[in-house]
Amino acid sequence: MPKPAEQQVVTRIAPSPTGFMHIGTARTALFNWLYARGRGGKFLLRIEDTDRARSTPEATDAILRGMEWLGLDYDGEAVSQFEQSARHAEVANQLLAEGHAYKCFATQDEIAAFREEARAAGTSTHYRSPWRDADASTHPDAPYVIRIKAPREGQTVIRDQVQGDVTIQNEQLDDMILLRSDGSPVYMLAVVVDDHDMGVTHVIRGDDHLNNAARQMLIYEAMGWPLPVYAHIPLIYGPDGKKLSKRHGATGVEEYQHMGYPASGMRNYLARLGWSHGDDEFFTDTQALEWFDLPSIGKSPARFDFKKLENLCGQHIAHTENAALLHELQEYLVATDQLSLPEAKKTLLEAAMPQLKERAKTYGELLDKATFIMADRPIVPDEKAAGALDTVSRGILKELTPHLQNVSWCRLDLEALLNGFAEERDTKFGKLAAPLRAALAGRSATPSVFDMMLVLGRDETIARIEDAAA
Ligand code: GLU
């Protein structure tokens, strides 16, 4: 049943464009997507593009492409944080007008001197501005920043769905700047204003933002805005227990796409990375949407396990319907700038899909198994396969072809024919299989000889064997 509007869950992913979409951002996006979509809520995208140098259209595009590939659809248009700057400034000025913030005229030198003295005295280096309680009549006609009036006593408790209650002593909070002297808003203000204006009810993000939460809460409270529910999730580590980085392998979503992992397997794996539902490893989107919840996110960092990713991807490929898999395969070929599939190949691929999708962990592996379909006559055997086509083997293949002309083209009869043919020559079918694999696929590792024959059909099978025997 749809929930009443005021209770609707609204989550967001708020990536800063860095040129690529980090796997950690993808996981955070997935968690937010699962949480909202599983509850009939909204999932929003905000591009935190205030760093103008890094926020190129290409960098934003990389995020959009990553979201699209992962199937993480968001509601409405992507919001640009930079474009909301005027609104951020408006809120800073409102806080100023209401006495929750103040104009600070301190110069850089004064602040530096304060810090130096504090260091020497061994006290807190958080700047304590003399302008906090200054009367407006004493304000000089000089540039100023707007600072929030942070409480100096008591504590702030972040009620976090993953971390539990996290208590911060208010004396550790400084009167952070909201608006710089050039009138530009700081990031901390922008996040809060945007989240509020976008109606975000749940902030699910990396725990590297946990400390920010305490400072951001000050702004919510000063504005009298309801706090979002917080869930700060542990970062992703590499197999060695260190923060995931290039050293461990691919960190960009697009790299995984190009390595041929299916998006469904990737979603399954990323969901398991830090979140669990009993002992379930393999699950569908429908199950994940039903099961996902914040309290079952682990408190300690998850370690990226490439083997597990591959294993799950293999299972997802095997579970995907043949036509859908063919479609995914075509998208993979487009994404990796490979040739598109001619109609005839598509038909053969779909027919062979039940066999091809068994034990393929990536689209690349699947296509590799489909070499016998992708290749055209004359089939050029690789070195190992060529070894199986010696004079004796070629002689046997030559003898075989007339029998293939007459057999009925079904698995049972083909099996009977080839087994009998091998027996007559006092050999095992295995001996016959190697030259047949070489003839049909040009490879030594292929799907079963019978599967290939059935997919290729009588004429093509015989033609390839004749090519090889010649
Ligand atoms: N832009 C921040 C980041 O990419 C996220 C901020 C947030 O989620 O509040 O880490």
Side-chain angles (χ1 to χ4, degrees):
M1 215 173 70
K3 297 181 179 136
E6 64 269 25
Q7 282 177 23
Q8 193 186 42
V9 165
V10 180
T11 66
R12 48 64 165 184
I13 181 71
S16 315
T18 54
F20 76 119
M21 189 180 195
H22 193 273
I23 205 81
T25 307
R27 185 196 52 164
T28 305
L30 175 69
F31 281 15
N32 278 282
W33 181 83
L34 284 171
Y35 192 78
R37 292 275 182 263
R39 287 163 181 73
K42 282 190 175 166
F43 169 62
L44 310 176
L45 171 64
R46 177 172 73 239
I47 306 289
E48 304 218 309
D49 52 356
T50 47
D51 180 342
R52 300 314 287 160
R54 296 188 94 175
S55 303
T56 60
E58 294 75 32
T60 299
D61 234 41
I63 292 165
L64 300 181
R65 278 201 309 273
M67 299 276 290
E68 189 180 349
W69 175 61
L70 281 170
L72 305 179
D73 58 318
Y74 50 91
D75 291 287
E77 297 286 313
V79 171
S80 152
Q81 182 158 71
F82 177 71
E83 283 173 18
Q84 315 305 318
S85 304
R87 166 70 180 145
H88 305 149
E90 180 187 304
V91 170
N93 281 303
Q94 187 179 334
L95 288 169
L96 180 66
E98 291 171 358
H100 297 294
Y102 60 93
K103 293 181 182 177
C104 173
F105 297 87
T107 63
Q108 289 303 326
D109 288 348
E110 284 164 355
I111 296 171
F114 173 93
R115 294 231 163 94
E116 209 164 298
E117 268 173 45
R119 254 190 296 274
T123 54
S124 166
T125 54
H126 283 326
Y127 184 57
R128 295 284 191 238
S129 172
W131 298 101
R132 177 170 158 128
D133 299 308
D135 194 87
S137 61
T138 64
H139 286 174
D141 182 17
Y144 61 87
V145 298
I146 296 182
R147 287 182 186 272
I148 194 158
K149 262 187 203 165
R152 290 189 173 168
E153 277 144 31
Q155 340 179 292
T156 297
V157 182
I158 308 164
R159 301 203 181 282
D160 195 276
Q161 294 285 301
V162 175
Q163 313 286 336
D165 284 357
V166 180
T167 305
I168 311 271
Q169 300 304 323
N170 287 342
E171 63 193 10
Q172 288 171 19
L173 303 171
D174 61 345
D175 288 353
M176 67 173 165
I177 294 175
L178 301 173
L179 212 60
R180 300 185 188 91
S181 57
D182 64 1
S184 65
V186 301
Y187 169 71
M188 211 69 84
L189 171 68
V191 171
V192 172
V193 174
D194 290 347
D195 279 342
H196 171 265
D197 288 358
M198 290 162 76
V200 172
T201 58
H202 291 68
V203 170
I204 306 167
R205 62 187 175 192
D207 66 6
D208 48 339
H209 288 281
L210 183 62
N211 280 327
N212 290 345
R215 309 172 86 201
Q216 292 172 358
M217 281 165 68
L218 296 180
I219 303 175
Y220 280 101
E221 276 156 20
M223 287 301 289
W225 289 339
L227 283 175
V229 174
Y230 283 113
H232 287 93
I233 58 183
L235 300 184
I236 302 172
Y237 282 15
D240 59 357
K242 304 220 168 78
K243 207 178 138 183
L244 188 71
S245 74
K246 284 264 170 242
R247 272 184 311 115
H248 298 108
T251 52
V253 167
E254 210 153 30
E255 291 173 81
Y256 287 89
Q257 180 187 15
H258 289 175
M259 283 189 274
Y261 292 110
S264 54
M266 205 68 202
R267 281 194 296 276
N268 185 163
Y269 180 66
L270 289 178
R272 275 292 290 112
L273 207 49
W275 169 80
S276 59
H277 180 265
D279 293 330
D280 294 302
E281 291 294 345
F282 173 86
F283 43 78
T284 62
D285 290 332
T286 313
Q287 288 171 315
L289 285 163
E290 192 177 312
W291 295 340
F292 187 82
D293 206 357
L294 303 176
S296 17
I297 296 174
K299 261 193 192 185
S300 40
R303 292 187 185 201
F304 203 96
D305 180 341
F306 290 89
K307 275 263 157 326
K308 201 155 139 185
L309 167 68
E310 289 198 333
N311 180 297
L312 286 174
C313 284
Q315 293 188 57
H316 276 273
I317 287 181
H319 274 79
T320 307
E321 281 184 37
N322 300 336
L325 197 50
L326 179 64
H327 183 75
E328 289 177 14
L329 212 52
Q330 286 172 264
E331 287 185 332
Y332 164 73
L333 290 172
V334 171
T336 50
D337 294 326
Q338 299 186 57
L339 290 182
S340 62
L341 295 169
E343 282 309 313
K345 302 272 187 214
K346 282 188 210 163
T347 313
L348 292 182
L349 275 173
E350 197 169 345
M353 219 46 113
Q355 285 80 44
L356 295 176
K357 70 187 184 185
E358 292 302 326
R359 284 187 293 279
K361 297 185 291 290
T362 62
Y363 298 132
E365 285 185 15
L366 196 151
L367 282 169
D368 193 60
K369 290 172 82 178
T371 303
F372 77 101
I373 292 173
M374 305 307 285
D376 290 309
R377 286 182 57 212
I379 305 295
V380 182
D382 65 20
E383 203 179 327
K384 199 158 167 215
L389 290 171
D390 55 16
T391 327
V392 179
S393 303
R394 290 210 306 274
I396 294 176
L397 290 184
K398 231 175 240 156
E399 281 177 50
L400 177 65
T401 34
H403 298 273
L404 292 174
Q405 293 289 5
N406 300 316
V407 69
S408 88
W409 209 255
C410 67
R411 183 179 302 267
L412 222 59
D413 288 16
L414 282 170
E415 271 176 11
L417 169 72
L418 290 186
N419 283 322
F421 187 82
E423 223 166 86
E424 276 167 34
R425 274 148 201 82
D426 238 2
T427 177
K428 290 224 169 65
F429 169 69
K431 275 260 178 326
L432 191 58
L436 281 172
R437 289 181 200 280
L440 298 178
R443 297 285 192 90
S444 48
T446 68
S448 101
V449 168
F450 301 108
D451 287 336
M452 290 194 290
M453 286 179 152
L454 289 169
V455 168
L456 291 172
R458 188 194 308 271
D459 292 349
E460 181 70 15
T461 299
I462 292 176
R464 290 188 185 192
I465 293 176
E466 280 176 350
D467 287 347

